[in-house]
Amino acid sequence: MKKLTYAIIAAAALSFSSCEKFLDTENYTKANTGNYPASLRDAQQVLTGIYNNLSIATANPQFSFFYISELASDDRLGGGGDNDFVMQAEDLLMNYNQSMLAQFWADRYQGIFRANSAIATLDNCKGYESEDQKKQMKGEAYFLRALYYYELASLFGNVPLVIKTDPVNLPKASADEEWGQIMQDLKTAIELMPAKPAKSGWVGEGHADKWCAEALMARAFLFYTGYYQKESVTLPEGGTISRADVIAWIDDCVNNSGYRLVTSDYRNLWAYTNRLTVNDYTYTKGQNLKWVEDDNGINPESMFAIKFNRFASWDETSTIGYANQYALHFGIRGGQDLDNSFPFGQGWGAGPVAPNLWDDWSAAEPTDPRRRASICVIPEELPKYKKGGWSDFVQETDYYAKKTAPISCKSSAGAGYRSTFEYEMYPGFTEDNYQLGNIHDLVLIRFADVLLMQSELKKDAAGMNRVRARVGLGPVAYSDEALRRERRWELCFEGIRWNDIRRWRIAEQALAKQINQPTYHAAKPDKNGQQGPGYVERYKTTGGFFKIPESQIALSNGVLEQNPGWDASANYTGWKETGR
């Protein structure tokens, strides 16, 4: 019998003679694969351990796939302050230190090991309330393993494919092998999980269901077949997945899942329409808007999201990821009164909106209300705002992303503002803490994305036009260009754009538009000039894949090989003003 473990200290190489190791083999639970999980509660704890990996990675969001997908895309810049090298390096497809992304690598392989353990042992449980419950829980384990490998394969390219709990020192898998396994896991999840309606109480909030697996299948298929120029996917257990197969699954998701678009107003999807903020914000005041998640309400469009809570504490570092640290990082760079930035809370200033997004959108769809719903034009909406706050910022622009922002509100105790609206809305916070007080969801899969993937797969405008109709825009005929524009507008700042421009093979063209855009550095007008080799050259050299942590290559005793393009020329040493 093998011992179970729920911790991985580092996650690729398996050199046990090193101070770092792949698997932590200490038996924390005094249980083993022959007797655990025995009860339903045990099985639920095993599954919770896999989900908990989402929070673990959130504690260090600057190293995560979602964060990098935002900063590396053509729609956002790096930002931050003079010393925030990681933000700027990720934006530039460069490297800050030898193992910049080691934490995320370790976190995701930890989640994969937990999923492997669950897949191997969930049949031990004799306490399931029904066969459907057992299948649902196993399906969730397969879904999460696929999700974690999707992120690793998107970020690093070829990685070791570990699908069992045995410690082995593996080289990189091929792209065909890893994407085949990702879609094999999703197929298994789809076949296991019962087809029960979303939001029916069958699956708890924050858990994946069959429809999430169908949506992620479409996302994975589109990336693999686009980036690697394939027509189908070969599965490790035999057979293939074709476009027709994926269309059948995405149609099933659209027609039978129970998820739907929020049709009242697009702005009701975003936290700035919460009841404590909405009527003090000039842009939303008096328009009968209501955030779908007000007072723990349910968002019918959110399919899979990272959930947060008020229990984050600096006294227990393992809980930091219980708060939405993405909102903190994407907050307006601090150092000034909240009155100056209201309704947006403050933070580290990562991810300023690239002016080319506003310009492209204005030219292509000037009446689209989603533009101002998604992007704050700072001089117009925040007249009191002072550029820079702490005066050490990089790549700031006159545009700010609303979707990922922390949101403040007026204090119910009198004059002034709260750092986060959550402090007033949800009882139990002990202090108004702008670093730990953001707890609104980070949505990873939204139903609008499913409709747009359906249109792209079928080359049919029906799904796309449903998304357009929601915001009062007229129907358009299907074309790849129309679909690409619609995805960019609808899904901006949701971690989608980076993989989209890569799979469409337009990344070099898109990234070139970021050069010479107007920005500010330390409150002085600047332009977003070449830093190091430049965006386009870095993409040509790397294919958009980041550096494998050197610590993991060392642990593998040379079994792992570094990705192309990561020699000394890729090292980022700080922002250089370009001047006008």
Side-chain angles (χ1 to χ4, degrees), residues 565-579:
W566 291 100
D567 57 19
S569 68
N571 293 333
Y572 179 70
T573 58
W575 191 259
K576 297 177 177 62
E577 289 189 66
T578 59

Side-chain angles (χ1 to χ4, degrees), residues 62 65-79 86-93 330 350-352 498 511 514 535 546:
Q62 68 272 30
F65 172 67
F66 181 94
Y67 194 99
I68 292 172
S69 294
E70 283 297 296
L71 270 55
S73 83
D74 58 325
D75 287 346
R76 290 178 99 156
L77 303 174
V86 171
M87 298 176 188
Q88 296 139 35
E90 291 172 351
D91 171 51
L92 297 164
L93 305 182
F330 292 130
W498 176 232
L511 291 169
Q514 291 193 323
Y535 298 94
F546 277 77

Side-chain angles (χ1 to χ4, degrees), residues 1-127:
M1 296 180 187
K2 298 187 293 290
K3 293 180 179 179
L4 293 186
T5 175
Y6 299 112
I8 296 178
I9 295 176
L14 312 180
S15 175
F16 291 97
S17 61
S18 169
C19 62
E20 292 189 69
K21 56 182 183 286
F22 176 55
L23 299 181
D24 177 357
T25 57
E26 182 179 351
N27 188 343
Y28 293 113
T29 63
K30 300 185 184 303
N32 58 61
T33 55
N35 62 24
Y36 192 86
S39 67
L40 177 59
R41 185 170 183 273
D42 291 342
Q44 290 169 334
Q45 289 177 336
V46 168
L47 193 60
T48 297
I50 316 173
Y51 279 100
N52 190 52
N53 188 262
L54 293 169
S55 295
I56 291 171
T58 300
N60 295 285
Q62 68 272 30
F63 305 126
S64 71
F65 172 67
F66 181 94
Y67 194 99
I68 292 172
S69 294
E70 283 297 296
L71 270 55
S73 83
D74 58 325
D75 287 346
R76 290 178 99 156
L77 303 174
D82 284 334
N83 294 321
D84 289 319
F85 286 9
V86 171
M87 298 176 188
Q88 296 139 35
E90 291 172 351
D91 171 51
L92 297 164
L93 305 182
M94 297 182 74
N95 188 60
Y96 170 49
N97 63 39
Q98 293 301 302
S99 295
M100 182 174 77
L101 301 180
Q103 186 63 55
F104 184 71
W105 179 286
D107 288 343
R108 281 298 177 254
Y109 271 106
Q110 180 192 65
I112 287 165
F113 180 75
R114 292 177 179 183
N116 291 343
S117 296
I119 290 166
T121 63
L122 280 173
D123 284 337
N124 292 342
C125 175
K126 306 303 181 186

Side-chain angles (χ1 to χ4, degrees), residues 287-363:
Q287 299 180 52
N288 296 316
L289 299 174
K290 186 178 188 298
W291 185 41
V292 288
E293 296 180 34
D294 256 354
D295 299 309
N296 297 310
I298 301 299
N299 180 351
E301 193 167 332
S302 172
M303 297 181 64
F304 189 68
I306 302 177
K307 312 293 285 188
F308 302 100
N309 61 57
R310 61 178 173 80
F311 300 111
S313 170
W314 294 119
D315 295 330
E316 182 59 60
T317 56
S318 64
T319 68
I320 301 303
Y322 293 172
N324 186 343
Q325 295 295 305
Y326 292 94
L328 172 66
H329 276 249
F330 292 130
I332 284 183
R333 191 148 179 85
Q336 56 187 295
D337 292 340
L338 281 167
D339 183 46
N340 295 349
S341 63
F342 179 83
F344 307 111
Q346 297 180 14
W348 307 149
V353 175
N356 50 278
L357 171 59
W358 180 268
D359 294 344
D360 290 350
W361 204 338
S362 301

Side-chain angles (χ1 to χ4, degrees), residues 157-158 173-181 224 228:
N158 300 343
S174 69
D176 292 345
E177 290 169 334
E178 63 185 358
W179 288 96
Q181 185 63 53
Y224 172 73
Y228 294 103

